[in-house]
Amino acid sequence: MTRKPILAFEDLNVWFGVRPDNPGFHVVKGVNIALKPGERFGLVGESGSGKTTTIMAAMGLLPSSAEVSGRVLLEGRDILRDGEKSVAPHRWKDIAMVFQGAMSAFNPVKTVGWQIAEALDVHNVARGVAAERRVGELLELVGITAAQSARFPHEFSGGMRQRAMIAMALACEPKVLLADEPTTALDVMVQDQVLKLLVRLSQELNLALILVTHDLAIVAQNCHRAAVMLGGEIVEQGSVSDLYHRPQHDYTRKLFEATPDVFAVARKPETAKATSAAPPLLQVGHLKVSYPRPRSLREVLRREKPQAPLVVNDISLTVDRGEMVALVGQSGSGKTTAMQAVLGMVKSQGGTITLNGRDVTGLGMREWRPLRRQIQMIYQDPYESLDLRYRVRDTVAEPLRIHRIAATALEREALVVEALERVGLTPAARYLGRFPHELSGGQRQRVAIAASIVLKPELLLADEPVSMLDVSVRAGVLHLLDELRRDARMGILMITHDLSTAANYADRIAVMHQGRIVEQGPAHQVIHAPEADYTKALLASIPDPDPDPDRRAAGDAVSSRRQPSTALPDHVSESLRHKQW
Amino acid sequence: MSTTTVNQAPDSESPYGFRPTLRGVLQQKTALAGLLIVAFFVTIALISPWIEPYSISEASCGVFEAPSRAHWLGCDDGGVDMLSLVLRGGRISMIVGAVATLIAIGIGATIGVLSGYFGGWVDTLLMRITDYFLVVPQVVLMIAIAAVWGPSLSHVIIVIGALMWTGTARLIRAQVKSLRERVYVKRVEALGAGHAHIIFNHIIPQIGPLLVANTVLAITVAIFNETALAFLGLSDPTAVTWGTIMEHAFDRAAVSSGAWWAIVPAGLSVAFLIMGCYMLGRSIEDALNPRLKVSYLSTHFWRLRPLVGRGPDAL
């Protein structure tokens, strides 16, 4: 592999917002990367680490507030030399890009074929009948039949759209393909297919590929080498095997710890579960939910009920005190709807929901209100779930005011401080007066959790509580939920699409598919002895953070250096777990 | 709670909500110009009794006397000093404009919030009512009502206020509908908060700035309508407003006798006041709408920082 690099970044720096009186923000700091033909390179980092800006610089697609220094060499020629003028001829012809959101990258009013042909036309590759034929070839290359080129983007599924996006990127036979989080919005199984496609194309077409992602496991499975970015700098670079087995930088280690191996971490059921006679905290039986559309005139006249497909079709589950149940499934499988029904925000079509022995099915908003103290919800995106005009103090005190708890402002403040300290925002006085925009994502989610637990609920519903957070703060928030479950004996029903999170923290896992629960059981059993085909397929599509899993002997007790507790024999690890508590 | 809305942190670029700052609004030249014009007219209206050179109820010169050093803007058909009349005329125009606007904004905001927040049949019902008011030709109805009820200031106020709320209602409804879907509103609802709590604590503070902009813009329409109704003789005939000044002049054939000074000063005053309000309202609206700033559509490109070795000798 002594071939000359096809693409090289040499001491690349990018500043944003530089003005004579303002040094601006230095977002990319001295990045050096060299890429050989056919090589797949992973660029890993959290949001704001400068990874996307780095590859955008190679495309010359930076906003006008940006200032660039350094060189980007394409086959040894500096394409940044004359700014936009020298980048433009190479854009798409030599360096092409797959964008993050495939839906917004397509024009919704033109067919997919037309849009790929447009790229061919703009770059003078092919026109007319020739272009049509080439579009067909490109689509076949990514596994879409040529006949589908006449369809519109919204008629494609998310995975197909991302494939079409890749076909468009390949239109001018580029030498380098830049993929910016190509699978972030996709489900695990579709993600697996898209990544396999990228790897296949890179091998068949000798394409150099830069894969920008926050998920180390994806890089480990699909790339030769990788670089870890933090605060605009590359903190570590090397082969994926070296990064995994011999990480030099603390940050790399932290990132790997945040993406645990699903099989290694699957929880064993807790010992000696107190099986009291009290009814379970939450019991859902044969729940059915659909979103009825408004009745058409004909249906009104014939007095028919509008038929709507069941989004949640006959699911049953229980959550006990001090237990975390994970609801796992693809987007669209009905898990959020099921949770909304449990919360009483969506009307159910059938079945029963019993909270603390009380049947709450079909209660009106007014009857629900006093019950809300017992059941609280944590939302996915802490940037959306807080009112930005509210200080932390007011956000956390709001539930108290709504339920008229605490007679005086002083008492209320004491409860607020207690809740903030409970979620790890200490000293609370430092956070009370802040606005959400003065907090980091992880802190915001903690504030949202504090506002939920200030009422001391018995049941917490968490809808993907960490999926919008950066990888390195996820563990902290999940640990917090685990503590609440353990210490405050809250029952937690958590939605997640990430089986390894579920395996790591949940006592029991319920796998949902197309509105039904296809498998339900203790976490350990669902992961290690899945029964449903869907669960098996789901497990098979999770990327392994270990780049060479085959080297790891099957059944080896010391399977992974990073997970000492799970590597120990079961009884030892179990006792360790208790000691930590 | 009391402190949250007052001491807002400066974060006008927040994409999540409207957060215009006073400074952000005043940085625009049109806003400053508009504000100065409005402030000028308001000041004059307030101090007019003390700065009027002559009485507005007694004749101080000849009929339609041309402007002179003693009477800068000449006199009207009754020999009353024109400058004094124009200075005084703004008072009632502005009072009518402000009160009518408050009525209109009050009705519009209430209907908009209720309709946007509750949706469903409430929305359908209120929006159908709004549609009916929207298709009615407003000036014609105003004339009809003012004619039936008889000329009076309060009638003018009610007529303008009761017909002008439709635009506000639709605007606020659209805004509230989108706020209703925000996650934090859902979260507060799941906390067990009542509708009143959500509306007063989370919805209305968010649409507040929008209401301010809408109010300033509505005042322009209200003042214009008031002047138009007064000119048509449907306002209180004894009140001195810019509209009645022009009406009197028109009735007494000021145009045919070439007495332009009896019409033009009052007309220009209305025009300038409306322009001032409009400029101010538009500027607030622009400050509210960050989507108008689309930097990525600009034709400027990113810059290169000079590099040692860059240039012809670089490979």
Side-chain angles (χ1 to χ4, degrees):
Chain A
M1 289 282 276
T2 48
R3 282 170 297 169
K4 276 179 73 177
I6 179 118
L7 182 75
F9 297 82
E10 283 185 5
D11 193 30
L12 183 78
N13 284 279
V14 180
W15 294 264
F16 279 140
V18 181
R19 290 204 194 93
D21 55 331
N22 184 350
F25 299 101
H26 198 173
V27 291
V28 175
K29 299 172 186 163
V31 163
N32 286 292
I33 296 171
L35 208 62
K36 298 197 181 74
E39 188 178 27
R40 294 186 298 277
F41 188 87
L43 201 53
V44 189
E46 301 188 337
S47 54
S49 62
K51 50 192 199 307
T52 299
T53 310
T54 303
I55 62 163
M56 284 294 195
M59 290 287 285
L61 290 178
L62 293 172
S64 59
S65 65
E67 206 167 303
V68 182
S69 90
R71 292 196 271 193
V72 174
L73 302 172
L74 182 73
E75 297 181 301
R77 293 161 57 88
D78 181 7
I79 57 171
L80 287 189
R81 198 161 123 190
D82 298 314
E84 168 69 14
K85 237 190 311 172
S86 54
V87 182
H90 302 288
R91 191 183 294 147
W92 225 257
K93 291 198 109 168
D94 295 313
I95 308 176
M97 188 160 174
V98 178
F99 293 93
Q100 182 167 4
M103 190 65 204
S104 44
F106 275 111
N107 181 345
V109 299
K110 296 280 187 188
T111 63
V112 171
W114 188 94
Q115 295 183 62
I116 298 175
E118 186 186 24
L120 296 169
D121 184 41
V122 167
H123 294 282
N124 289 316
V125 176
R127 285 210 170 79
V129 185
E132 214 168 285
R133 203 168 50 233
R134 180 89 183 106
V135 168
E137 284 170 18
L138 285 166
L139 287 176
E140 303 269 353
L141 193 63
V142 296
I144 299 174
T145 56
Q148 310 227 46
S149 72
R151 292 171 72 181
F152 288 91
H154 69 263
E155 296 176 304
F156 276 20
S157 68
M160 276 171 87
R161 241 179 264 140
Q162 199 56 276
R163 285 161 185 270
M165 195 72 223
I166 294 170
M168 191 192 274
L170 296 175
C172 306
E173 297 177 356
K175 303 181 180 87
V176 182
L177 189 61
L178 310 175
D180 184 10
E181 304 258 11
T183 57
T184 299
L186 303 177
D187 285 313
V188 196
M189 286 161 88
V190 184
Q191 160 176 303
D192 193 46
Q193 293 165 4
V194 170
L195 289 170
K196 284 208 173 100
L197 171 69
L198 281 173
V199 170
R200 199 194 83 212
L201 290 170
S202 141
Q203 284 164 346
E204 283 174 7
L205 309 172
N206 204 26
L207 264 178
L209 176 73
I210 297 187
L211 194 61
V212 172
T213 177
H214 62 273
D215 190 344
L216 265 175
I218 289 181
V219 169
Q221 289 309 307
N222 300 293
C223 296
H224 302 112
R225 289 192 305 128
V228 178
M229 281 190 88
L230 174 67
E233 278 174 290
I234 291 187
V235 294
E236 191 164 356
Q237 183 169 180
S239 75
V240 285
S241 172
D242 278 351
L243 283 180
Y244 178 76
H245 293 288
R246 290 170 288 282
Q248 304 296 314
H249 200 276
D250 280 346
Y251 184 68
T252 314
R253 219 165 290 147
K254 205 170 157 191
L255 282 183
F256 269 115
E257 273 162 22
T259 43
D261 179 7
V262 58
F263 296 103
V265 296
R267 261 176 83 124
K268 285 280 165 79
E270 276 180 31
T271 43
K273 205 161 177 194
T275 42
S276 60
L281 184 55
L282 172 74
Q283 189 157 31
V284 177
H286 306 288
L287 180 70
K288 288 182 181 145
V289 185
S290 69
Y291 290 109
R293 54 184 169 78
R295 287 202 285 183
S296 68
L297 186 65
R298 191 169 142 178
E299 280 160 347
V300 173
L301 290 178
R302 295 190 174 183
R303 301 202 180 151
E304 285 171 2
K305 273 195 172 174
Q307 285 300 314
L310 288 173
V311 183
V312 173
N313 192 354
D314 194 13
I315 69 164
S316 303
L317 49 85
T318 55
V319 180
D320 232 320
R321 289 170 194 81
E323 182 185 49
M324 184 188 279
V325 177
L327 205 52
V328 182
Q330 292 181 304
S331 52
S333 61
K335 30 188 215 309
T336 301
T337 307
M339 189 172 270
Q340 291 295 318
V342 170
L343 194 62
M345 302 291 277
V346 170
K347 280 223 156 54
S348 58
Q349 238 60 35
T352 55
I353 302 165
T354 319
L355 186 63
N356 249 339
R358 181 172 171 193
D359 187 5
V360 295
T361 324
L363 283 190
M365 273 295 165
R366 207 169 286 277
E367 297 145 315
W368 249 111
R369 249 169 238 162
L371 291 171
R372 298 241 178 258
R373 283 188 64 177
Q374 296 171 22
I375 176 169
Q376 286 292 316
M377 171 111 180
I378 297 161
Y379 292 84
Q380 182 172 14
D381 188 351
Y383 292 84
E384 289 274 321
S385 65
L386 300 178
D387 190 334
L388 295 169
R389 293 169 314 97
Y390 271 44
R391 288 174 195 275
V392 168
R393 171 192 290 120
D394 303 306
T395 298
V396 181
E398 192 176 21
L400 297 174
R401 287 207 321 274
I402 290 170
H403 289 277
R404 303 216 166 76
I405 301 169
T408 64
L410 226 66
E411 256 174 73
R412 204 151 56 210
E413 182 103 348
L415 286 171
V416 169
V417 168
E418 189 195 325
L420 285 175
E421 281 174 354
R422 188 73 200 77
V423 300
L425 294 175
T426 47
R430 248 177 64 199
Y431 297 95
L432 282 173
R434 294 207 192 168
F435 285 103
H437 72 264
E438 297 170 306
L439 302 171
S440 70
Q443 287 171 335
R444 284 184 195 214
Q445 191 61 291
R446 282 169 194 270
V447 170
I449 295 175
S452 305
I453 64 163
V454 74
L455 291 173
K456 305 203 165 59
E458 290 172 80
L459 178 65
L460 273 184
L461 307 178
D463 185 359
E464 303 258 13
V466 296
S467 70
M468 300 300 282
L469 303 178
D470 275 325
V471 179
S472 60
V473 299
R474 285 182 184 179
V477 172
L478 288 167
H479 277 303
L480 170 64
L481 289 179
D482 200 40
E483 273 173 34
L484 291 172
R485 174 190 70 77
R486 223 166 44 213
D487 302 341
R489 302 290 294 164
M490 288 181 193
I492 301 179
L493 178 62
M494 178 172 72
I495 287 181
T496 177
H497 66 274
D498 183 4
L499 256 179
S500 59
T501 303
N504 206 354
Y505 292 95
D507 300 285
R508 286 189 298 115
I509 296 179
V511 181
M512 257 187 107
H513 183 49
Q514 295 180 344
R516 291 172 189 275
I517 288 183
V518 293
E519 181 158 8
Q520 184 167 197
H524 201 261
Q525 184 192 319
V526 171
I527 300 296
H528 287 283
E531 280 171 7
D533 290 339
Y534 179 74
T535 318
K536 286 176 193 160
L538 205 59
L539 280 164
S541 60
I542 299 174
D544 189 329
D546 187 344
D548 355 79
D550 301 338
R551 219 186 278 166
R552 196 169 56 195
D556 185 355
V558 198
S559 66
S560 162
R561 185 188 39 72
R562 295 171 300 103
Q563 300 286 345
S565 63
T566 49
L568 292 165
D570 291 340
H571 62 279
V572 183
S573 95
E574 204 59 43
S575 64
L576 261 185
R577 220 191 252 274
H578 284 292
K579 230 172 233 162
Q580 282 166 359
W581 297 356
Chain B
M1 174 73 258
S2 58
T3 54
T4 50
T5 45
V6 184
N7 300 322
Q8 279 184 2
D11 187 18
S12 54
E13 309 218 351
S14 152
Y16 299 104
F18 300 117
R19 212 175 279 181
T21 53
L22 189 62
R23 197 191 298 165
V25 172
L26 290 182
Q27 262 167 5
Q28 305 176 62
K29 282 182 188 128
T30 49
L32 199 63
L35 191 69
L36 286 177
I37 294 174
V38 173
F40 172 76
F41 279 106
V42 170
T43 315
I44 284 190
L46 287 176
I47 62 172
S48 58
W50 296 279
I51 59 166
E52 285 157 15
Y54 299 95
S55 159
I56 58 161
S57 48
E58 290 161 31
S60 54
C61 61
V63 173
F64 285 141
E65 198 178 294
S68 64
R69 193 160 296 172
H71 301 275
W72 289 357
L73 294 179
C75 290
D76 75 351
D77 56 297
V80 180
D81 180 51
M82 204 65 220
L83 179 62
S84 306
L85 283 173
V86 170
L87 289 178
R88 183 62 73 94
R91 278 195 149 191
I92 287 172
S93 293
M94 272 182 253
I95 290 173
V96 172
V99 177
T101 301
L102 284 182
I103 294 176
I105 296 286
I107 301 176
T110 311
I111 289 189
V113 167
L114 291 178
S115 160
Y117 182 86
F118 289 103
W121 65 266
V122 179
D123 185 28
T124 312
L125 179 74
L126 290 175
M127 279 302 114
R128 288 301 79 77
I129 295 173
T130 309
D131 287 347
Y132 283 120
F133 273 91
L134 207 61
V135 293
V136 167
Q138 299 206 1
V139 176
V140 176
L141 188 65
M142 281 181 200
I143 294 170
I145 293 179
V148 171
W149 287 352
S152 144
L153 261 189
S154 50
H155 292 169
V156 169
I157 291 177
I158 291 169
V159 165
I160 295 175
L163 286 181
M164 240 177 45
W165 55 267
T166 49
T168 311
R170 290 174 75 105
L171 187 80
I172 296 298
R173 169 182 172 267
Q175 201 61 41
V176 172
K177 252 183 138 51
S178 101
L179 282 173
R180 187 80 178 82
E181 295 305 314
R182 294 283 175 92
V183 179
Y184 70 81
V185 174
K186 298 261 179 226
R187 182 178 68 82
V188 175
E189 198 176 351
L191 281 176
H195 298 309
H197 176 94
I198 296 176
I199 289 176
F200 284 107
N201 290 286
H202 295 278
I203 302 276
I204 290 188
Q206 285 283 12
I207 58 170
L210 191 71
L211 270 180
V212 171
N214 202 244
T215 306
V216 178
L217 287 176
I219 286 179
T220 65
V221 183
I223 291 179
F224 182 82
N225 282 346
E226 187 276 335
T227 308
L229 288 182
F231 180 75
L232 295 172
L234 299 168
S235 179
D236 179 4
T238 58
V240 178
T241 80
W242 290 327
T244 52
I245 293 171
M246 286 189 278
E247 187 218 346
H248 283 304
F250 204 74
D251 279 355
R252 308 292 151 81
V255 179
S256 53
S257 52
W260 55 267
W261 52 86
I263 292 180
V264 173
L268 281 182
S269 300
V270 178
F272 272 110
L273 177 59
I274 288 179
M275 192 177 75
C277 280
Y278 186 77
M279 283 157 80
L280 186 63
R282 274 280 160 224
S283 311
I284 300 175
E285 217 172 42
D286 284 352
L288 287 177
N289 197 345
R291 267 174 298 179
L292 295 175
K293 302 171 197 150
V294 264
S295 66
Y296 56 85
L297 290 180
S298 74
T299 52
H300 297 284
F301 290 116
W302 42 278
R303 293 173 304 268
L304 270 178
R305 194 169 273 203
L307 176 79
V308 186
R310 191 187 289 285
D313 55 310
L315 267 170

